[in-house]
Amino acid sequence: MASKGTVKAAANFKASADAEVLHKAMKGIGTDEDAILQLVCARSNAQRQEIKATYKTLFGKDLINDLKSELGGKFETLIVALMTPPTAYDVVSLRNAIKGAGTDEKVLVEILASRTPQQVKDIIAAYRKEYDADLEEDICGDTSGHFKRLLVILLQANRQTGVQEGDIENDAQVLFKAGEQKFGTDEQTFVTLLGNRSAQHLRKVFDAYMKLSGYEIEESIKRETSGSLKDLLLAVVKCARSVPAYFAETLYNAMKGAGTDDDTLIRVMVTRGEVDMLDIRAEFRKLFARSLFSMIKGDTGGDYRKALLLLCGGDDA
């Protein structure tokens, strides 16, 4: 299958040559940020891991530590993120979201709603190895109610596959009865159903729900629920409809209005670069009548902007 990513493995790749370039860029007085970002953004994550290993072999120093001591601010955060293996990056993002001051629900929602079941299993295993802790226990200790329950369901990574034709109509009915048709919402029903059915199945249920109720399921969720649970239910629904569209909207929300949510911008640009950035760009254009490139360009500056635009990979004017 052709990659829908913008970040590709470099042809004629030589880890030792790349390690030399980075070493030179950081040697002596001043740092050649441009050389660093041009190289790092033009390599796949697997290649960056080889560069990291070779750098230590050649120079007896840790590349990440050197980058941290030479770079600063959002640009440093972005380059270090790019140098981190994908699963390890998700793990550290979740750990910071749970263990920081207050819980960053946004990160829990984004990662657990959008990753595949296999990715979730890999994250749980890597989290245990890295912190000698149980991700589910840590999340449970920090969340509550139906929000917690849906996160736990997503952590089981047991989502059904395929479409259960016989259940579509019934599932739509059950959701309708749990929400629009009663006083007070039966959140558990939403949580169980949306957490366990496959994306293909849910898309058919959403169509049936629309026919039945006259509402898109998103409208009902917005009306019937609130807070973190609402955010998580909406993320799960949007990812069932289209993961790239979900990330296009996430990026738009990170940049619209005054100020930029740089943490989210970095996280999405780093984690989707080799996965589906081309699809995200197409969805972004469709949804917001402007290119992702133009929005990043208008919202960021300096080397940080240069690197983000390289990851974006082109303008869909």
Side-chain angles (χ1 to χ4, degrees):
M1 199 175 109
S3 161
K4 298 288 193 172
T6 45
V7 175
K8 305 255 196 290
N12 311 319
F13 167 68
K14 262 195 82 182
S16 55
D18 286 353
E20 293 278 4
V21 169
L22 291 174
H23 186 248
K24 193 172 156 225
M26 294 187 279
K27 212 169 63 181
I29 299 160
T31 306
D32 186 350
E33 283 90 356
D34 197 59
I36 294 170
L37 73 90
Q38 295 290 348
L39 190 144
V40 171
C41 294
R43 302 292 181 271
S44 68
N45 193 284
Q47 290 176 329
R48 294 179 205 129
Q49 302 318 311
E50 283 188 57
I51 295 167
K52 208 156 56 176
T54 306
Y55 189 92
K56 193 168 267 185
T57 303
L58 290 175
F59 307 111
K61 293 194 296 181
D62 185 81
L63 176 56
I64 301 292
N65 290 346
D66 282 2
L67 287 166
K68 282 181 176 170
S69 70
E70 294 292 328
L71 310 175
K74 295 176 285 206
F75 179 57
E76 177 194 317
T77 306
L78 175 61
I79 294 295
V80 170
L82 287 167
M83 294 301 304
T84 310
T87 304
Y89 182 65
D90 279 349
V91 163
V92 80
S93 301
L94 288 168
R95 180 74 171 185
N96 292 340
I98 302 165
K99 293 295 176 194
T103 311
D104 190 346
E105 280 95 0
K106 195 186 322 182
V107 177
L108 302 183
V109 166
E110 181 197 302
I111 294 177
L112 294 176
S114 67
R115 301 303 188 256
T116 64
Q118 188 53 56
Q119 285 172 323
V120 172
K121 286 177 178 150
D122 294 344
I123 288 166
I124 291 167
Y127 187 95
R128 181 180 295 281
K129 197 171 163 210
E130 183 65 32
Y131 302 113
D132 194 23
D134 186 303
L135 177 58
E136 187 184 313
E137 273 175 30
D138 284 355
I139 285 177
C140 284
D142 240 34
T143 57
S144 62
H146 286 95
F147 176 61
K148 173 173 89 174
R149 289 180 196 178
L150 182 47
L151 289 171
V152 169
I153 291 173
L154 296 172
L155 283 165
Q156 304 317 301
N158 270 331
R159 205 179 265 286
Q160 296 165 356
T161 50
V163 176
Q164 282 73 40
E165 290 293 344
D167 292 341
I168 293 166
E169 208 48 56
N170 186 49
D171 284 351
Q173 291 275 1
V174 165
L175 287 173
F176 183 55
K177 288 198 178 85
E180 293 291 345
Q181 238 187 3
K182 66 184 291 234
F183 184 73
T185 307
D186 173 10
E187 281 117 348
Q188 187 64 57
T189 301
F190 274 80
V191 162
T192 301
L193 226 150
L194 294 174
N196 283 294
R197 300 283 193 266
S198 73
Q200 305 94 294
H201 182 85
L202 286 173
R203 288 196 289 272
K204 296 198 170 197
V205 173
F206 301 157
D207 291 343
Y209 183 89
M210 177 76 191
K211 284 199 189 82
L212 187 66
S213 66
Y215 298 112
E216 292 286 13
I217 186 93
E218 288 93 333
E219 294 175 68
S220 295
I221 289 169
K222 281 178 192 161
R223 249 203 314 277
E224 304 282 332
T225 61
S226 61
S228 299
L229 175 63
K230 178 187 78 176
D231 296 339
L232 182 55
L233 286 168
L234 286 172
V236 167
V237 167
K238 285 169 183 173
C239 287
R241 287 196 193 273
S242 161
V243 171
Y246 167 72
F247 280 115
E249 203 179 325
T250 302
L251 285 166
Y252 182 78
N253 290 335
M255 292 184 281
K256 73 168 200 246
T260 304
D261 176 358
D262 289 294
D263 289 340
T264 298
L265 180 55
I266 290 168
R267 202 170 48 249
V268 177
M269 295 306 290
V270 167
T271 55
R272 309 316 289 185
E274 287 182 58
V275 184
D276 52 6
M277 188 56 69
L278 291 171
D279 292 334
I280 292 170
R281 273 169 40 188
E283 291 292 344
F284 195 96
R285 188 91 193 73
K286 224 168 36 194
L287 288 167
F288 306 111
R290 64 179 300 188
S291 68
L292 175 59
F293 189 94
S294 71
M295 196 157 181
I296 292 172
K297 196 173 174 184
D299 231 54
T300 57
D303 295 314
Y304 176 55
R305 169 165 70 185
K306 257 192 232 172
L308 287 170
L309 292 176
L310 284 174
L311 297 174
C312 179
D315 195 354
D316 313 286

